[in-house]
Amino acid sequence: MCSLKEGTLNWEMLQFKSRFPREVLLCRVGDFYEALGIDACILVEYAGLNPFGGLRSDSIPKAGCPVVNLRQTLDDLTNNGFSVCIVEEVQGPTQARSRKGRFISGHAHPGNPYVYGLVGVDHDLDFPEPMPVIGISRSARGYCMILVLETMKTYSIEDGLTEEAVVTKLRTSRYHHLFLHVSLRQNSSGTFRWGEFGEGGLLWGECRSRHVEWFDGNAISEILSKVKELYDLDNEVIFRNKTVHSENRPQSLTLGTATQIGAIPTEGIPSLLKVILPPNCTGLPVLYIRDLLLNPPSYEIGSTIQAICKLMSSVSCSIPEFTCVSSAKLVKLLELRETNHIEFCRIKNILDEILQMHRASELNEILRLLIDPTWVATGLKLDFETLVDGCELASGKICEIIFLDGESDQKFSSFRGFPNEFFEDMESSWKGRVKRIHIDDVFTEVERAAEALYLAVTEDFGPIVSRIKAMSASLGGPKGEILYAREHEAIWFKGKRFTPTVWAGSPGEEQIKQLKPAFDSKGKRVGDEWYTTMKVEDALTRYHEASSKAKARVLEVLRELSTELQSNINIIVFSSMLLVIAKALFSHVSEGRRRKWTFPTLAVSHSFKDVKPLEGYEGMKIVGLVPYWLNIAQGSAVQNTVDMKSLFLLTGPNGGGKSSILRSVCAAALLGICGLMVPAESALIPYFDSIMLHMKSYDSPADEKSSFQVEMSELRTIITGTTKRSLVLIDEICRGTEIAKGTCIAGSVIESLDQIGCLGIVSTHLHGILNLPLNLKDTVQKAMGTVCIDGQTKPTWKLTDGICKESLAFETAKREGIPEIIIQRAQDLYLSVYAKDRLSGENFPKLEQYSSSMKNNNFDQEQFDSRRNSPEEISIANQVEVLQQEVENAVTVICQEKMMELRRKKISSELMEIKCVLINAREKPPPSTVGSSSVYVMFRPDNKIYVGQTDDLEGRVSTHRSKEGMQNALFLYFLVQGKSLACQFETLLINQLPSHGFQVANVADGKHRNFGTSNLYIECATSS
């Protein structure tokens, strides 16, 4: 039975628990972290741990985990929504019969991990996306959502939201805690179930299955107060408002819109996120693009993003790797002074990549334009000069302190004939972290202590080992050697049968007499074969003390640097977010070029403030539109032209492409107003104030709503939120109720949208709408085309003018496997009941000639001189630079002569200039290389070069660098016109570079002289 008597460990744990009753308490006890009571039950249930102690009914539950499993246990608990308070022991010797001191070392929350002790380790910590505390209230403008990030000490306010938008945000963001303001209860029914009738029902249904707390008073101040209480923060802690207000910002996507285009992953729906970014782009850039789509930017920011993407598309220089690190992670590590040397190097990479973009002429303008999107994402307003100066200052601070790659003045202690793994284990925890100049005194002391230990071991153990080796090695003879006892962090002598039977004063006998049994740290003898001496033990003690002092000094220097960099925290946060955005947009441009997408023209209406509208702006026009999930480059997609100046009433058969064209138009419009590329040949897209897509609805038993009720709820949201600057897309309206009344409701909705004057498409199979006496001004009738081939009606998937009443229902049912007897009976019934109306009003538009021709996007490759490494680079780097320059000169001369030869022989009509571009370590090719043939030279660490050609330079560089020892390989490349010419240049360089004094690693590839040569080249060469 556990005692709760004052002064006991259990009593002490109870005191800690009383301070944080909401959190699971884990207390360090020796080699375990222990929990009591309900916390122990939670450990067993959610972390899969076994209970401690007996099974007596009156005993207090107890459970725990080993120290080495702490991270896994914390992950299990936080992933299940629990917060954890961790209590650590004060390390070091204690007096006999006294308890170790304990202190609260930190907390682990969902999205906010435990970081205590990370400053001293040499591995990274996965830092999840931070999870905010969310507060929701309601005002005259609509719903208001307040998001508070404790890690960043920031909050943002989104006001005027629709109910759909609030639910969308709740479903797309994991949050730590949800608070609901009492203003949500004020509904027309006056009931406690604040969403029981009409508006609020969707939000109520979303929240009632979640753990929520109600609050009253001023929404912002009360939520901040709740956050300080949750995280045990002082009242003096200040949270920064990162909200960026804009009058020209569109509404956030509704839940239905986001799911139906795959912005929120939905089973069976093509994911828009997966096609606008390449597969190798993951993590933070994906989250940025997702948030951009869900919350479209203002016109100004959208236009800026498009300008950035256009510049990125034409960049010809190599680009940075774009180090992406969570801003929340950097803020927390610096604030708690737990930033280790690995993270400092990452921070320096971030700052240096900003400076690299600043110094490169082609990237400088991109960097300037990225300032505003980063301001919106972070709420930090920095001008260009402040950013650059701040990066130089912070990078310089890190460079002064941190031991960087390429420096070589901190090798592990090493002595001949000594178990040097000992020194490697002891010194690897602190060497190679900070520059020696900052720890020279303790560094020197460790070197002296290591040498003293080596001398002590050599003097006391060496003669014994020599004596044993000199004796006959017969079976059962003496054995002995100097070994590293890793478990005990000691160098001892291990041997048996080495004591002489007769002491004759021979060499080694005196040292044998000095030996004594080895004991561990707890005073227990370590086996029967381990021995040491007083001198060796004294030397070991001195060395361990020197190493401990050196490690403590290193941690002190690292923590001081964390403190110093806190004054630059805004620069670091801004820079890290800027690189995330840069990587996201560069990745999008690369994928867009690969898919042959295009940049749309963005048009605005006269109602926009401070924005000049486009001359001749009328509606939306998209030429060569294809479904976003199909690849234009593969040529298999049916293209459509959508010239929309008003509302479309769309009819067409099942499987005729109505839903696809609605999704395609929605995706293209959304991508356009976000500043991204669209799946079309050309596009003019108005800057919509909202984009709303409604597809088929399902019933919601949890909300006690039928599918028709759900549809009506969504249509209410659409109608109330639509203006003449909106895009409204409704698929198969009013399909969930009886035909007559559903037709009339649909007609009324179409009338309402026509009066508003918005753009959009309403598709339907309710052909009775066409006969209703509707008051329509601008609505245009459109149809998905069909064609009659061999007596059978088939869809063309082309958008045409007119009406199509053919549903192809029987053909669709037959294709999906409905028994023939059922289909035949259905046809008989149809003919008997609807025969007289069968042909009335039918319209089978002629099949338009389909052309798969596409415009080719040709980009001029503007190149510039590659930047050299900084003058501080070591001599090895200078040798590489010289080699690179010599290879570049040779490649240029060889290939330029070949081009002149081809022109003389009239094989080539143009004299292409060879322009070599360098890809340094931690850089990659620009998007302009996508889809282009290139020839490259790779510089290997052994000073050999590798020559190759490819149509996927980024992928080839990545493949080469994935091999061991090649992570920082440099590349030189130039673009050529076509793969055949690239293959010729590859063979030419492989064969001729050795004659210029270069070692080519793949000389054998040069034997394939005609590999890749086209018939044209062969014929021309033969005829000449």
Side-chain angles (χ1 to χ4, degrees), residues 283-502:
L284 296 173
V286 177
L287 294 178
Y288 174 77
I289 294 294
R290 185 201 68 178
D291 291 343
L292 185 70
L293 297 176
L294 294 177
N295 306 283
S298 66
Y299 172 78
E300 296 80 6
I301 298 300
S303 299
T304 300
I305 289 175
Q306 187 186 87
I308 293 169
C309 290
K310 286 182 176 179
L311 287 174
M312 289 176 170
S313 179
S314 60
V315 163
S316 60
C317 66
S318 58
I319 60 178
E321 285 189 343
F322 299 116
T323 302
C324 293
V325 184
S326 166
S327 299
K329 177 181 183 180
L330 298 180
V331 169
K332 182 164 186 175
L333 292 177
L334 289 173
E335 179 186 1
L336 298 180
R337 306 194 337 144
E338 292 289 346
T339 316
N340 60 26
H341 64 293
I342 297 174
E343 218 58 53
F344 277 123
C345 289
R346 282 204 183 95
I347 295 174
K348 188 176 188 302
N349 288 340
I350 290 171
L351 301 170
D352 289 348
E353 287 171 4
I354 296 291
L355 296 175
Q356 178 184 346
M357 294 181 70
H358 166 60
R359 293 168 185 143
S361 58
E362 286 189 274
L363 301 179
N364 183 278
E365 183 60 26
I366 293 175
L367 178 62
R368 290 179 182 273
L369 291 174
L370 282 167
I371 296 290
D372 281 348
T374 309
W375 161 52
V376 172
T378 62
L380 294 169
K381 188 68 172 176
L382 297 180
D383 58 59
F384 185 77
E385 289 71 22
T386 301
L387 173 64
V388 173
D389 293 344
C391 287
E392 288 179 341
L393 179 61
S395 178
K397 290 179 181 179
I398 296 174
C399 189
E400 289 175 4
I401 302 296
I402 298 298
F403 181 89
L404 303 173
D405 290 341
E407 300 177 357
S408 56
D409 61 346
Q410 295 194 29
K411 295 180 180 178
F412 299 129
S413 301
S414 177
F415 300 94
R416 187 175 180 181
F418 193 90
N420 289 310
E421 307 88 44
F422 168 78
F423 290 125
E424 185 175 343
D425 285 354
M426 296 302 104
E427 298 173 8
S428 61
S429 63
W430 59 273
K431 278 188 176 179
R433 284 160 168 74
V434 302
K435 285 183 167 57
R436 177 165 179 166
I437 188 174
H438 303 290
I439 55 170
D440 191 59
D441 55 340
V442 293
F443 202 111
T444 302
E445 178 56 32
V446 170
E447 289 180 330
R448 291 172 179 167
E451 185 175 2
L453 176 60
Y454 166 70
L455 292 175
V457 169
T458 303
E459 292 172 359
D460 284 8
F461 298 157
I464 304 175
V465 174
S466 299
R467 172 189 175 91
I468 292 172
K469 289 181 178 180
M471 298 175 69
S472 59
S474 59
L475 186 62
K479 297 184 180 296
E481 56 185 332
I482 303 170
L483 291 177
Y484 167 32
R486 179 173 271 105
E487 183 180 353
H488 305 285
E489 298 182 347
I491 299 295
W492 290 329
F493 173 77
K494 185 178 184 181
K496 57 184 177 180
R497 297 187 298 276
F498 56 84
T499 304
T501 54
V502 178

Side-chain angles (χ1 to χ4, degrees), residues 649-675:
L649 178 57
L650 179 64
T651 53
N654 290 300
K658 298 190 300 300
S659 299
S660 292
I661 204 162
L662 263 67
R663 281 196 179 96
S664 302
V665 169
C666 179
L670 177 61
L671 291 170
I673 67 173
C674 289

Side-chain angles (χ1 to χ4, degrees), residues 846-1016:
K846 294 182 179 179
L847 176 63
E848 297 179 8
Q849 183 65 35
Y850 170 66
S851 173
S852 61
S853 62
M854 294 178 294
K855 297 179 180 178
N856 294 320
N857 295 323
N858 295 320
F859 293 86
D860 294 332
Q861 302 299 323
E862 181 182 344
Q863 301 181 352
F864 72 113
D865 293 335
S866 303
R867 295 187 296 107
R868 299 273 67 81
N869 295 330
S870 64
E872 298 177 0
E873 294 287 340
I874 57 177
S875 58
I876 294 178
N878 291 331
Q879 294 172 12
V880 172
E881 187 173 345
V882 171
L883 175 63
Q884 173 263 316
Q885 189 63 55
E886 292 174 348
V887 171
E888 180 177 348
N889 293 337
V891 167
T892 303
V893 171
I894 293 170
C895 294
Q896 208 68 60
E897 290 180 354
K898 182 64 175 178
M899 285 302 304
M900 295 176 65
E901 177 188 345
L902 293 175
R903 191 181 185 193
R904 285 196 303 270
K905 293 180 178 180
K906 299 183 179 180
I907 297 176
S908 174
S909 59
E910 296 182 7
L911 182 60
M912 182 185 70
E913 183 180 358
I914 304 299
K915 294 183 178 180
C916 294
V917 179
L918 178 66
I919 305 175
N920 277 307
R922 300 191 65 254
E923 292 183 347
K924 57 184 181 180
S928 58
T929 61
V930 174
S932 300
S933 297
S934 61
V935 181
Y936 67 90
V937 178
M938 179 179 68
F939 298 87
R940 299 179 6 153
D942 57 4
N943 288 331
K944 292 183 179 180
I945 59 177
Y946 178 96
V947 181
Q949 61 81 28
T950 180
D951 286 343
D952 180 16
L953 185 59
E954 182 179 356
R956 188 64 62 87
V957 168
S958 177
T959 300
H960 281 304
R961 285 178 172 171
S962 66
K963 297 177 181 178
E964 185 175 356
M966 304 296 292
Q967 291 82 0
N968 294 318
L970 275 65
F971 292 80
L972 197 70
Y973 77 91
F974 60 92
L975 300 178
V976 298
Q977 296 176 351
K979 191 174 184 67
S980 296
L981 192 57
C983 291
Q984 288 194 70
F985 278 134
E986 176 194 28
T987 303
L988 181 70
L989 292 174
I990 291 174
N991 291 329
Q992 292 199 18
L993 283 175
S995 64
H996 286 70
F998 302 109
Q999 299 182 61
V1000 178
N1002 58 326
V1003 175
D1005 293 343
K1007 297 177 182 179
H1008 308 298
R1009 295 183 179 274
N1010 294 324
F1011 178 76
T1013 306
S1014 69
N1015 294 332
L1016 173 65

Side-chain angles (χ1 to χ4, degrees), residues 134-137 143-147 156-159 161 165-167 169-170 173:
I134 294 180
I136 302 175
S137 64
Y143 290 92
C144 175
M145 178 176 279
I146 306 166
L147 295 91
S156 59
I157 307 166
E158 295 184 73
D159 203 358
L161 297 174
V166 172
V167 173
K169 291 177 182 297
L170 288 177
S173 63

Side-chain angles (χ1 to χ4, degrees), residues 3-20 25-29 34 36 39 85-90 98-104:
S3 172
L4 292 178
K5 183 179 178 181
E6 183 175 351
T8 63
L9 174 60
N10 294 337
W11 176 85
E12 186 178 7
M13 291 174 65
L14 188 61
Q15 304 310 303
F16 288 123
K17 179 68 176 179
S18 64
R19 290 182 55 188
F20 300 99
L25 183 78
L26 287 180
C27 182
R28 175 77 176 267
V29 182
E34 297 184 3
L36 299 177
D39 293 344
C85 174
I86 300 94
V87 176
E88 289 284 352
E89 287 181 334
V90 176
S98 63
R99 194 195 334 272
K100 286 189 174 182
R102 290 182 172 82
F103 61 98
I104 295 176

Side-chain angles (χ1 to χ4, degrees), residues 108-386:
H109 303 284
N112 193 343
Y114 178 62
V115 299
Y116 176 78
L118 283 183
V119 66
V121 301
D122 56 0
H123 60 264
D124 193 15
L125 171 68
D126 289 335
F127 209 94
E129 183 184 2
M131 296 171 62
V133 171
I134 294 180
I136 302 175
S137 64
R138 189 177 174 191
S139 65
R141 293 188 58 193
Y143 290 92
C144 175
M145 178 176 279
I146 306 166
L147 295 91
V148 185
L149 282 175
E150 180 274 335
T151 309
M152 302 292 293
K153 303 299 185 293
T154 61
Y155 69 95
S156 59
I157 307 166
E158 295 184 73
D159 203 358
L161 297 174
T162 64
E163 181 186 5
E164 278 266 1
V166 172
V167 173
T168 302
K169 291 177 182 297
L170 288 177
R171 291 192 184 177
T172 55
S173 63
R174 298 176 63 215
Y175 50 84
H176 181 203
H177 217 82
L178 178 60
F179 290 94
L180 302 177
H181 195 265
V182 293
S183 57
L184 294 172
R185 290 177 173 168
Q186 299 169 4
N187 62 70
S188 57
S189 66
T191 63
F192 177 79
R193 291 176 61 181
W194 42 278
E196 186 172 8
F197 298 99
E199 186 175 358
L202 183 64
L203 181 57
W204 177 75
E206 181 70 20
C207 294
R208 70 173 183 171
S209 60
R210 303 170 183 262
H211 175 73
V212 300
E213 291 187 32
W214 291 90
F215 73 106
D216 199 353
N218 181 276
I220 297 175
S221 59
E222 284 299 318
I223 278 293
L224 294 179
S225 177
K226 295 285 186 182
V227 169
K228 292 178 182 179
E229 179 185 342
L230 275 173
Y231 292 95
D232 191 37
L233 302 177
D234 295 334
N235 288 329
E236 292 74 23
V237 173
I238 298 175
F239 283 78
R240 175 175 61 85
N241 185 358
K242 56 171 285 189
T243 309
V244 177
H245 296 285
S246 174
E247 295 181 358
N248 294 334
R249 185 163 189 169
Q251 292 181 15
S252 300
L253 293 193
T254 64
L255 181 61
T257 306
T259 55
Q260 288 299 327
I261 59 172
I264 299 175
T266 307
E267 185 177 359
I269 304 297
S271 172
L272 183 59
L273 273 177
K274 288 185 178 180
V275 298
I276 62 178
L277 294 172
N280 61 356
C281 183
T282 58
L284 296 173
V286 177
L287 294 178
Y288 174 77
I289 294 294
R290 185 201 68 178
D291 291 343
L292 185 70
L293 297 176
L294 294 177
N295 306 283
S298 66
Y299 172 78
E300 296 80 6
I301 298 300
S303 299
T304 300
I305 289 175
Q306 187 186 87
I308 293 169
C309 290
K310 286 182 176 179
L311 287 174
M312 289 176 170
S313 179
S314 60
V315 163
S316 60
C317 66
S318 58
I319 60 178
E321 285 189 343
F322 299 116
T323 302
C324 293
V325 184
S326 166
S327 299
K329 177 181 183 180
L330 298 180
V331 169
K332 182 164 186 175
L333 292 177
L334 289 173
E335 179 186 1
L336 298 180
R337 306 194 337 144
E338 292 289 346
T339 316
N340 60 26
H341 64 293
I342 297 174
E343 218 58 53
F344 277 123
C345 289
R346 282 204 183 95
I347 295 174
K348 188 176 188 302
N349 288 340
I350 290 171
L351 301 170
D352 289 348
E353 287 171 4
I354 296 291
L355 296 175
Q356 178 184 346
M357 294 181 70
H358 166 60
R359 293 168 185 143
S361 58
E362 286 189 274
L363 301 179
N364 183 278
E365 183 60 26
I366 293 175
L367 178 62
R368 290 179 182 273
L369 291 174
L370 282 167
I371 296 290
D372 281 348
T374 309
W375 161 52
V376 172
T378 62
L380 294 169
K381 188 68 172 176
L382 297 180
D383 58 59
F384 185 77
E385 289 71 22
T386 301

Side-chain angles (χ1 to χ4, degrees), residues 702-760:
D703 299 326
E704 301 175 2
K705 288 186 176 182
S706 67
S707 60
F708 185 67
Q709 284 178 294
V710 173
E711 181 181 11
M712 291 300 100
S713 176
E714 293 182 4
L715 285 179
R716 181 204 68 225
T717 301
I718 290 175
I719 293 169
T720 56
T722 299
T723 71
K724 64 181 180 181
R725 293 199 295 110
S726 301
L727 177 65
V728 177
L729 305 159
I730 304 175
D731 189 33
E732 298 194 20
I733 188 170
C734 294
R735 62 192 291 173
T737 189
E738 58 103 348
I739 294 178
K741 294 180 180 177
T743 299
C744 294
I745 293 175
S748 181
V749 169
I750 293 169
E751 250 188 10
S752 176
L753 295 176
D754 180 82
Q755 291 170 5
I756 292 173
C758 65
L759 298 184

